[in-house]
């Protein structure tokens, strides 16, 4: 399920991602300190300050390597608390313009994040929010495929056909649909590798969410992780179950940000 078992080279040097590759995940919250405490206890993350172009922001580190970002929402703005994937771009301005031309919306940017890179926050024609990241000094997550790191990104939407056309036009993905009358799923591929999924659920889409991207985090033991999440003040939204990609469960942190945990088969 991981898009890469190691986003860093053998000497620790980062490789620039192919445009369209999910390269980073970021969470915007109301209480930054409490959120750091939760994820630090859950995943073993430590934190250091990141670019402050949109307000207080920290980068989460696992064994000293960056894996995710957490920022603080502006006070008084009723924005959702949610994990957002960022898709790599060689030119954020050009990608943002293509998003607009293909029926999407650009809500923030493009703007510079100090010397880290250039970013925008956009939504596809169905309303699902994602980020665009043109790496500068910061190319994205420095490690994947181990517990405490993002493992997979999946768009949950009404139906796959039209929204997959949008993403393939913007980012040049190849498509691998599941051939099934009752399961609407397309895997997006780059350079011959699966990098993300699109799942059409029709009327099964939660009314309180609408189309959205979900982030999966790798864990060593899904069941033990669920106990720990509850101990830390989070909650289990869907109990653990075995899938063809591993043992998964849907959870939420104390502020309500939803994410999935997965224990991949080894």
């Amino acid at each position: 399920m991981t898009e890469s078992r190691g986003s860093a080279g053998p000497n620790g040097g980062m490789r620039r991602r192919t445009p369209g590759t999910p390269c980073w995940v970021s969470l915007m919250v109301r209480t930054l300190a409490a959120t750091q405490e939760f994820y630090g206890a859950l995943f073993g993350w430590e934190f250091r300050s990141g670019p402050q172009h949109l307000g207080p922001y920290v980068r989460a580190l696992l064994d000293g390597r960056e894996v995710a970002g957490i920022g603080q929402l502006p006070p008084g703005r009723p924005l959702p608390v949610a994990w957002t994937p960022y898709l790599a771009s060689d030119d954020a301005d050009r990608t943002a313009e293509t998003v607009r031309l293909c029926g999407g919306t650009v809500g923030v940017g493009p703007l510079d994040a100090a010397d880290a890179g250039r970013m925008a926050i956009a939504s596809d024609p169905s309303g699902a929010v994602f980020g665009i990241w043109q790496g500068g000094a910061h190319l994205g997550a420095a490690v994947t495929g181990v517990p405490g790191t993002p493992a997979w990104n999946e768009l949950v939407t009404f139906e796959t056909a039209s929204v997959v056309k949008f993403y393939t036009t913007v980012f040049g993905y190849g498509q691998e649909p599941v051939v099934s009358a009752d399961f609407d799923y397309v895997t997006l591929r780059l350079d011959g590798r699966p990098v993300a999924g699109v799942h059409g659920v029709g009327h099964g889409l939660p009314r309180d969410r609408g189309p959205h991207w979900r982030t999966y985090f790798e864990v060593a033991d899904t069941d033990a992780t669920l106990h720990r999440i509850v101990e830390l003040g989070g909650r289990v939204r869907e109990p653990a179950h075995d899938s063809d990609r591993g043992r998964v469960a849907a959870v939420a942190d104390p502020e309500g940000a939803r994410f999935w945990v997965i224990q991949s088969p080894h």
Side-chain angles (χ1 to χ4, degrees), residues 19-22 87 164 167-175 188-190 195-196 213:
T21 305
L87 308 178
V164 165
Y167 285 99
T168 55
T169 303
V170 175
F171 293 106
Y173 295 119
Q175 305 174 32
L188 303 178
R189 302 177 69 90
L190 288 170
V195 296
W213 281 90

Side-chain angles (χ1 to χ4, degrees), residues 87-98:
L87 308 178
S89 170
D90 285 341
D91 186 331
D93 293 80
R94 186 176 61 201
T95 300
E97 183 60 24
T98 306

Side-chain angles (χ1 to χ4, degrees), residues 89 91-93 109-120 132-136:
S89 170
D91 186 331
D93 293 80
L111 52 85
D112 289 328
D115 65 345
R118 190 161 173 81
M119 57 82 67
I132 299 165
W133 183 255
Q134 177 187 341

Side-chain angles (χ1 to χ4, degrees), residues 44-46 61-67 146-147:
W45 290 350
E46 297 178 331
L61 290 82
L62 187 67
D63 297 327
R65 302 167 78 182
E66 296 173 343
V67 295
V146 298

Side-chain angles (χ1 to χ4, degrees), residues 22-47:
C23 61
W24 189 245
V25 291
S26 195
L27 172 65
M28 298 299 289
V29 299
R30 297 181 186 89
T31 53
L32 188 56
T35 301
Q36 289 177 244
E37 186 175 339
F38 171 83
Y39 286 100
L42 181 64
F43 292 138
W45 290 350
E46 297 178 331
F47 300 91

